[in-house]
Amino acid sequence: MDMPTILQLIINGLLLGGIYMTISIGLNLIYGVMKVVNYAQGEFLMIGMYIAYWIFVSLGINPFYGIPIVLIILYLAGLALFNYVVYPILRKPYETQIMTFVGIIYILQNFALIMWTADYRTVNIPEASIPIVIWNIYIPQGRLIVLTIAILTSLLVFIFLTKTKIGLFIRASSQNPFAAEIVGVDTKKVRAISMGIGIALAGVGGCILLPIYFCYPYVGARLGIIGFIIITLGGLGSFNGAIVGSLLIGIVESAVGTLYSSEFAIATSLIIYFIILLLRPQGLLGTRSR
Amino acid sequence: MNKALTKVQAVLIAVVIVIAAVAAVGYYLLIPKQAEKKTVKIGILFPLTGAMAPFGQDCLKGVETAIEMFTNQNILPNVEIVSVVGDSQSSPTIAASEAERLITVEGVDIIIGSYAGPLAMSIATVAERYSTPMFEVIAAPNELCTRGYTWVFRFGPAGLYYGYAAVDFLVNFTQRMNWNINELNIAVVHEDGSYGTSCADGDVERLNYYNLSGIIKTRERYSSASTDLSALITRLKTMNIDVVLITSYAADAQLFIRQSNELGFRPRMIIGHSAGYELPATAAAVGSLINGIFVVGFPLYGMNLQGLQTEVKNDVREFTNYYQSKYGGLPASWGAKAFSATYHVLLKVVLKTALEKYGDITKENIRKAFLDVDIPDGGTFVGFGVKFYPPQNPKAGDNMRATYHPVCEWFNPTSSGLIAVYPPALALQDPIYIPRP
């Protein structure tokens, strides 16, 4: 195998990792603060896709430029979800939490089905399909934009968490909610904001993936499962773990698919996932819970 | 004080009673009664939710239109058709449980479905277990009718024939273009479910038939749930593939076309097998990238219908008008196929035969009537006729006349941009070579 092919393989993997990052960052933020896995994250991404699609069709706004609108709508949806659904079950057993989120999945899927039917919706942005060619290596512009926005979003979230007062409260609530409350942090409000941001990030994912995938009521299910695998692999609640996990899975799938067979690409990343969890149950960059 | 009846009074009363009784019996015998209607329950089982929902919804519309048109035409006045709709949710497991519910709870006389191979296989197993006829209108897994089932019948061609059509066209087209086919590198690529595997088996078998197995450079399988095909495409690119014979569902079809362009993979020809490559949404998603892609498909409004019987041609018009007035827009090709299977085969022939030849519409009589079906070519929208292999045959239940499909070409990314180009009898125009952009 020649060098351009190897470089192409790596670039393909990184770009795929960018797609996975779009879903895993928000999912991880929610888990990190609330210790609740939002199994419906993929469905919120799907809702984000539909809103971006609707904005594109009715207002002619490119999905990339529609991000702020989707961000606000899904942030508010996240706040509502926290206050009316998640907060009441925070101290309930895991089974209750899982069943609640499974219920949300069905509600959102059927909501989309009723609102927009099962038809495949699509936005064709020809420029996104034009590749940049360097040394016979093809870099698709659309996916490069996805990776760039995913990295920028991650950076913004990182800065928000480390450099702002609310970010400090979020981290405090994540590490020890009881102690945070003692020193006066309104953990309910902090959690609500975290949920809003987490869901809004899914909306960002929806906007930037719309030019790549069909939009239909079940598109979130595909991506949601991958997101869950990635945050578990990287370490539940670990911000860096989500990024590393996304890129790792992307590169493994790309390498196995190119060198051996696409049929085994997903299986191989799952095998790696199991091996890592066997050797390091807290995930690559996660911390062992006590 | 009670007083006994006199003899005259008693006789008069008796006479009145006798006259009334005679009149009642006479009325009952002489006045024509409103005939009691035989109720036939048809279970309609398609994926109405889940990843295959757009296809399933179209099929449901086709079947329901067929039943409504048939009922309005009063062809079997003493039969009332009741449809019971089930949703397989694009899942084989749910398809099986829905089939069981339709049979055991709803008491349907027949199940019509199912669109996709894995769903068809699940439903067939249940139908066979409960001795209930199943009529598959679309799904193409080769193995559906090779398992010795006696209650399963399929309208359309097995996937094998999609592959045959693709390769026959390839051979014809390379001659037309003066390309040396022996110098081409061919990749057979398919989603790894029963549909993709069946079509790909057909590709390989037909290439062997032409002594061209040597030009198959690779056979690649992938999951239709994949969110990325860049690795597959990079692999094909490194092999210098000239022709891709590919079978995909919807999301993966648009991904393949789009990512091929993004990664600079430009084979001379891409020949898809129905499903995703025939879907107008795919064309809308990839825009002009769809131009020049060939598809083994069935564009009802983009193919030559001259070979159809006059009555069937009229049915095309009537169906189109009815469908447009009810749903707006033109039906999808699989919706039209589901309509034709239901209308031309099940309702107009099978139920009629069961009632008129065997005396009643029961499950067993429906099965027997299926075996009596003998519709010549030109008797359905797709052009092929219908005759099912008998139970002793290795292909029991398959339609022995459904052995071909037109090959079409995309000329523009609108729903009318897909035109049949092969074979000449079904083509509206000749194929044109449009190099990949």
Side-chain angles (χ1 to χ4, degrees):
Chain A
M1 183 162 286
D2 55 6
M3 187 51 72
T5 307
I6 294 170
L7 289 174
Q8 181 75 65
L9 175 163
I10 294 167
I11 285 170
N12 290 347
L14 290 173
L15 296 174
L16 180 59
I19 289 175
Y20 292 163
M21 274 165 69
T22 60
I23 189 156
S24 56
I25 295 169
L27 188 61
N28 216 18
L29 180 69
I30 293 168
Y31 181 84
V33 177
M34 271 168 282
K35 304 293 178 264
V36 165
V37 179
N38 177 16
Y39 293 100
Q41 188 79 354
E43 277 59 41
F44 283 104
L45 183 142
M46 173 267 292
I47 295 290
M49 283 178 102
Y50 270 115
I51 297 171
Y53 172 81
W54 179 78
I55 291 170
F56 177 79
V57 170
S58 57
L59 304 174
I61 297 174
N62 182 311
F64 297 130
Y65 303 137
I67 289 175
I69 303 171
V70 177
L71 200 77
I72 292 167
I73 294 172
L74 283 194
Y75 176 76
L76 295 174
L79 289 185
L81 180 77
F82 177 80
N83 285 316
Y84 298 111
V85 180
V86 177
Y87 187 68
I89 59 158
L90 266 185
R91 295 181 202 284
K92 303 276 184 197
Y94 281 127
E95 297 85 346
T96 308
Q97 295 178 1
I98 291 170
M99 292 316 294
T100 303
F101 281 106
V102 170
I104 293 169
I105 289 173
Y106 282 114
I107 289 168
L108 291 178
Q109 285 179 349
N110 285 289
F111 171 75
L113 198 61
I114 292 165
M115 289 293 292
W116 299 292
T117 76
D119 290 347
Y120 295 112
R121 313 278 168 166
T122 183
V123 166
N124 180 25
I125 301 174
E127 304 80 49
S129 244
I130 298 171
I132 299 166
V133 186
I134 305 168
W135 299 320
N136 208 23
I137 298 161
Y138 286 72
I139 307 168
Q141 283 190 42
R143 290 186 177 235
L144 191 61
I145 293 171
V146 170
L147 181 64
T148 308
I149 293 178
I151 291 171
L152 281 177
T153 310
S154 307
L155 274 174
L156 285 174
V157 172
F158 181 76
I159 291 167
F160 174 75
L161 289 176
T162 54
K163 306 287 180 194
T164 66
K165 202 170 177 183
I166 296 177
L168 179 71
F169 292 165
I170 288 175
R171 282 186 294 132
S173 302
S174 167
Q175 286 165 11
N176 193 330
F178 182 67
E181 274 179 17
I182 288 174
V183 296
V185 175
D186 182 349
T187 54
K188 184 185 175 190
K189 190 176 170 187
V190 167
R191 284 168 171 161
I193 292 170
S194 306
M195 189 90 198
I197 295 171
I199 300 291
L201 289 175
V204 174
C207 291
I208 57 180
L209 295 184
L210 182 61
I212 295 178
Y213 296 125
F214 274 138
C215 176
Y216 58 102
Y218 306 94
V219 66
R222 289 173 166 214
L223 295 162
I225 293 169
I226 296 170
F228 179 68
I229 290 169
I230 285 167
I231 65 160
T232 318
L233 174 74
L236 282 168
S238 164
F239 180 78
N240 295 334
I243 295 171
V244 171
S246 300
L247 298 177
L248 178 71
I249 293 281
I251 289 173
V252 166
E253 286 187 7
S254 173
V256 174
T258 307
L259 300 173
Y260 186 54
S261 163
S262 295
E263 201 178 17
F264 296 107
I266 297 171
T268 308
S269 51
L270 285 175
I271 290 168
I272 290 174
Y273 165 75
F274 285 126
I275 291 172
I276 288 176
L277 286 196
L278 207 63
L279 299 174
R280 197 175 155 78
Q282 67 271 38
L284 284 174
L285 302 180
T287 49
R288 194 180 285 273
S289 58
R290 279 171 244 168
Chain B
M1 194 170 102
N2 287 337
K3 209 176 170 184
L5 290 172
T6 63
K7 273 186 183 175
V8 175
Q9 284 173 326
V11 167
L12 276 174
I13 289 169
V15 168
V16 168
I17 290 171
V18 168
I19 290 170
V22 169
V25 170
Y27 178 82
Y28 181 77
L29 291 175
L30 296 175
I31 302 298
K33 295 196 299 276
Q34 180 87 28
E36 265 188 36
K37 279 198 167 186
K38 163 76 183 175
T39 300
V40 179
K41 273 192 171 183
I42 298 180
I44 307 172
L45 185 47
F46 287 107
L48 305 180
T49 55
M52 296 171 192
F55 298 103
Q57 298 271 9
D58 288 334
C59 290
L60 173 66
K61 288 176 187 169
V63 173
E64 285 188 331
T65 304
I67 292 172
E68 286 167 23
M69 275 176 57
F70 182 80
T71 305
N72 293 345
Q73 290 160 350
N74 209 23
I75 294 172
L76 292 178
N78 293 332
V79 175
E80 185 190 6
I81 296 170
V82 176
S83 54
V84 185
V85 178
D87 177 11
S88 63
Q89 298 178 31
S90 308
S91 153
T93 317
I94 294 169
S97 60
E98 273 292 273
E100 194 150 352
R101 180 184 70 82
L102 288 174
I103 295 169
T104 58
V105 179
E106 301 288 350
V108 299
D109 299 294
I110 179 171
I111 291 180
I112 192 165
S114 65
Y115 176 72
L119 309 176
M121 298 306 294
S122 287
I123 297 167
T125 310
V126 176
E128 194 69 16
R129 193 188 325 140
Y130 286 99
S131 302
T132 300
M134 177 207 172
F135 190 31
E136 176 55 60
V137 295
I138 306 281
N142 295 335
E143 63 271 28
L144 181 66
C145 292
T146 58
R147 296 191 169 181
Y149 291 155
T150 52
W151 294 87
V152 178
F153 300 90
R154 170 163 54 193
F155 172 70
L160 199 70
Y161 296 110
Y162 287 72
Y164 284 10
V167 173
D168 288 347
F169 171 69
L170 171 68
V171 171
N172 179 282
F173 190 71
T174 49
Q175 284 169 355
R176 177 188 285 266
M177 297 296 295
N178 286 324
W179 293 343
N180 182 353
I181 195 166
N182 289 299
E183 291 176 356
L184 297 178
N185 290 329
I186 291 188
V188 176
V189 181
H190 61 96
E191 62 87 22
D192 56 9
S194 56
Y195 170 59
T197 306
S198 295
C199 293
D201 285 347
D203 292 331
V204 173
E205 202 176 296
R206 201 61 165 177
L207 284 165
N208 285 340
Y209 168 82
Y210 285 112
N211 284 326
L212 291 170
S213 54
I215 64 173
I216 303 175
K217 190 84 172 178
T218 184
R219 178 170 178 167
E220 298 284 333
R221 300 164 180 83
Y222 69 90
S223 164
S224 61
S226 296
T227 50
D228 180 80
L229 294 176
S230 60
L232 167 71
I233 292 162
T234 305
R235 197 171 153 77
L236 296 177
K237 203 176 157 189
T238 58
M239 292 178 188
N240 296 317
I241 295 299
D242 298 299
V243 178
V244 182
L245 300 170
I246 185 162
T247 313
S248 313
Y249 284 113
D252 43 332
Q254 72 95 13
L255 211 53
F256 182 80
I257 298 168
R258 196 194 294 270
Q259 288 200 280
S260 291
N261 179 63
E262 290 173 350
L263 294 168
F265 175 53
R266 296 187 182 88
R268 286 197 216 183
M269 290 174 78
I270 296 175
I271 307 177
H273 302 79
S274 190
Y277 294 94
E278 199 180 352
L279 189 70
T282 304
V286 300
S288 60
L289 297 178
I290 199 79
N291 296 347
I293 288 181
F294 298 100
V295 188
V296 180
F298 164 56
L300 181 61
Y301 305 101
M303 61 188 272
N304 187 347
L305 301 179
Q306 289 308 309
L308 301 189
Q309 294 167 7
T310 309
E311 193 185 341
V312 177
K313 279 188 222 163
N314 293 335
D315 291 341
V316 172
R317 272 192 295 277
E318 198 177 336
F319 165 61
T320 306
N321 292 338
Y322 192 97
Y323 191 97
Q324 281 184 316
S325 66
K326 186 169 181 191
Y327 300 110
L330 289 172
S333 69
W334 36 91
K337 207 188 256 186
F339 169 88
S340 188
T342 310
Y343 186 75
H344 293 120
V345 184
L346 178 66
L347 301 175
K348 285 183 100 173
V349 179
V350 172
L351 294 191
K352 201 163 187 272
T353 307
L355 188 67
E356 292 176 358
K357 182 176 175 185
Y358 297 109
D360 194 7
I361 301 176
T362 62
K363 289 180 181 181
E364 175 58 24
N365 289 344
I366 289 173
R367 193 185 73 84
K368 285 197 272 187
F370 262 114
L371 295 170
D372 288 344
V373 172
D374 189 0
I375 299 173
D377 280 350
T380 67
F381 283 180
V382 200
F384 51 67
V386 183
K387 186 164 179 61
F388 298 103
Y389 284 107
Q392 302 77 22
N393 191 284
K395 291 183 179 178
D398 228 346
N399 179 4
M400 64 179 77
R401 288 175 185 156
T403 56
Y404 62 88
H405 236 301
V407 178
C408 321
E409 182 174 359
W410 280 103
F411 291 105
N412 63 66
T414 66
S415 55
S416 59
L418 186 66
I419 306 289
V421 293
Y422 182 85
L426 299 170
L428 273 190
Q429 69 167 79
D430 286 337
I432 297 172
Y433 179 59
I434 303 173
R436 303 300 305 145

